[in-house]
Amino acid sequence: MHAQTDQADTPQVAASSTLALVHYLDTLGLLNRPRIETLTGLSLEALEDPDLRIPASTHYQLWDLAEQLTGDPGVGLHAGQVVDPERMGLVGHVFFNCDTLGEAVVQYVRLHRLINESVTLSFEQTPDQAILTWQPDHPDHYCRQDMDRTLAAALCRTRHFIHRGIEADWLEVAHPEPGYASEYRKLFGGPVIFGTGITRMAFSSQHLGHPIPHRNPYVYSAVLKQVNAVLARLQTRKSFSRKVRRLISRQMATDRIDADTLARQCHMSRQTLYRKLKKEGLSFHDLVEQVRQDKALRYVADDQYALGEIAFLLGFSELSAFSRAFKRWTGVAPAQFRASHQEGKR
């Protein structure tokens, strides 16, 4: 059963997500059992195990297969709109048994690693908006179909269980604009910008106070206890690169980033630091570049800092160096990127 790997650094997803995709294919009459079982290394019956986790890379390959079987590039967006309470994972049951949407969002972010370890979910709240951000830990961990499904499921389930009138104020999608782009605006309600390198969804912060109508305190308590136990086990196998990424992010605006300093903070030699990152398919330089790029995209799109301030916060010696790097990452100058994002949100 090769789907459950012993490599602690291999990011995994809950098999309930994979099972939901299998069920979606089955309802369309397109389930190809031999190909799915060969790809996952598991029988379809084994996927029913609520504690099962499979490598994220395997889950993403299954999405590619689903697009082949359906001939539908928007298969993720369409699968995410199917709401089936009987097939929700444990985190879903925690989410929809909270007191309010605000509490549910906090739990969703806290427990997201149980759903997908390869993507970091964060939440920020302004006076007017609540913003969810999904960011893969590595470019290879980005899957267009799975991100489509994640976004659609988050909104459609919230509408189904909490409040039918919820719409996105705006949506930024990391991948390039697909042929089915018009469907996003129709589904989410607000303006949509593609090719942003980071995925964010904003909605009115007023929605956070919505009570959850049919919550069951007993179910909430029982399921939360179970997921907390699973989360505690997963904490022991967090990837080393995530720890280094956080250190780089904190240090970036105050000191020059160098491997020796980071290695000392991790209580190891530079050679050990390099070796542990290499086990995850990363180099120290690549990780610094990823953190810098992620922050650059967010800072420029947010319009909270002047471009010169952003260059300083990201450790660039001058604005021109930052502008060259930003154009290398995105293909456009920072000012042009900012202008297009602000225009899309109006």
Side-chain angles (χ1 to χ4, degrees):
M1 189 180 292
H2 65 252
Q4 280 192 299
T5 178
D6 291 330
Q7 296 180 3
D9 290 331
T10 301
Q12 298 182 340
V13 302
S16 58
S17 298
T18 303
L19 188 63
L21 176 54
V22 168
H23 178 68
Y24 178 72
L25 293 173
D26 194 23
T27 60
L28 297 178
L30 297 171
L31 182 63
N32 187 320
R33 185 182 184 115
R35 290 185 69 182
I36 291 172
E37 292 185 339
T38 298
L39 180 62
T40 62
L42 296 164
S43 68
L44 296 191
E45 289 74 22
L47 289 174
E48 300 279 354
D49 182 351
D51 295 324
L52 181 68
R53 305 181 66 76
I54 69 171
S57 57
T58 300
H59 181 68
Y60 295 153
Q61 289 173 39
L62 188 58
W63 273 113
D64 288 335
L65 174 61
E67 184 168 332
Q68 294 173 25
L69 294 174
T70 61
D72 176 16
V75 60
L77 205 63
H78 301 144
Q81 295 176 57
V82 177
V83 179
D84 185 350
E86 298 299 318
R87 294 186 175 272
M88 284 197 307
L90 289 174
V91 175
H93 286 292
V94 170
F95 191 102
F96 296 111
N97 283 286
C98 290
D99 285 325
T100 64
L101 176 58
E103 181 188 340
V105 169
V106 170
Q107 290 287 11
Y108 179 42
V109 172
R110 185 179 77 87
L111 301 174
H112 186 263
R113 287 287 175 183
L114 295 181
I115 304 170
N116 189 338
E117 288 183 284
S118 74
V119 176
T120 297
L121 175 63
S122 58
F123 172 64
E124 58 184 303
Q125 186 176 351
T126 70
D128 299 321
Q129 291 182 322
I131 304 170
L132 289 166
T133 300
W134 290 264
Q135 183 67 28
D137 290 342
H138 188 275
D140 291 344
H141 296 157
Y142 188 84
C143 172
R144 170 180 52 81
Q145 303 97 325
D146 189 65
M147 185 56 68
D148 278 352
R149 188 260 177 187
T150 297
L151 293 169
L155 189 65
C156 291
R157 289 182 178 185
T158 301
R159 285 173 175 165
H160 179 85
F161 288 103
I162 302 176
H163 190 274
R164 292 191 177 275
I166 290 178
E167 290 189 339
D169 284 356
W170 49 263
L171 177 67
E172 295 178 347
V173 184
H175 54 255
E177 183 171 332
Y180 53 95
S182 61
E183 294 190 39
Y184 292 82
R185 179 63 187 270
K186 182 179 178 182
L187 176 61
F188 294 97
V192 183
I193 307 171
F194 295 95
T196 58
I198 193 167
T199 300
R200 305 196 302 165
M201 180 165 59
F203 56 93
S204 171
S205 57
Q206 293 180 352
H207 291 308
L208 296 175
H210 280 309
I212 297 181
H214 305 295
R215 71 178 300 268
N216 184 320
Y218 174 77
V219 171
Y220 177 80
S221 177
V223 177
L224 187 62
K225 182 178 180 180
Q226 185 175 352
V227 297
N228 281 339
V230 177
L231 187 64
R233 291 198 299 270
L234 288 181
Q235 297 293 347
T236 63
R237 54 176 297 275
K238 275 188 174 180
S239 74
F240 177 68
S241 66
R242 289 190 205 119
K243 177 181 179 180
V244 176
R245 184 189 295 268
R246 287 194 298 272
L247 292 173
I248 292 171
S249 182
R250 286 202 295 266
Q251 189 174 328
M252 186 165 284
T254 57
D255 299 291
R256 180 176 175 272
I257 304 294
D258 68 87
D260 287 324
T261 301
L262 267 294
R264 284 196 298 272
Q265 291 177 0
C266 295
H267 307 290
M268 63 184 62
S269 68
R270 182 178 55 174
Q271 289 73 23
T272 301
L273 175 76
Y274 287 162
R275 186 171 64 251
K276 289 174 74 69
L277 288 175
K278 187 176 180 180
K279 283 179 63 178
E280 299 185 38
L282 293 167
S283 72
F284 181 75
H285 176 269
D286 289 341
L287 203 55
V288 172
E289 188 81 348
Q290 285 176 25
V291 173
R292 186 169 277 128
Q293 181 177 349
D294 292 348
K295 282 178 169 287
L297 290 168
R298 185 175 303 183
Y299 286 158
V300 174
D302 278 350
D303 197 22
Q304 292 182 336
Y305 299 105
L307 296 180
E309 291 177 299
I310 295 174
F312 172 78
L313 288 171
L314 299 181
F316 288 92
S317 58
E318 54 188 21
L319 177 57
S320 60
F322 168 63
S323 296
R324 287 194 298 271
F326 194 89
K327 193 164 186 178
R328 185 177 73 249
W329 295 328
T330 66
V332 298
Q336 183 181 349
F337 186 88
R338 171 168 284 178
S340 66
H341 278 250
Q342 296 309 308
E343 179 66 29
K345 292 178 184 178
R346 291 191 184 106

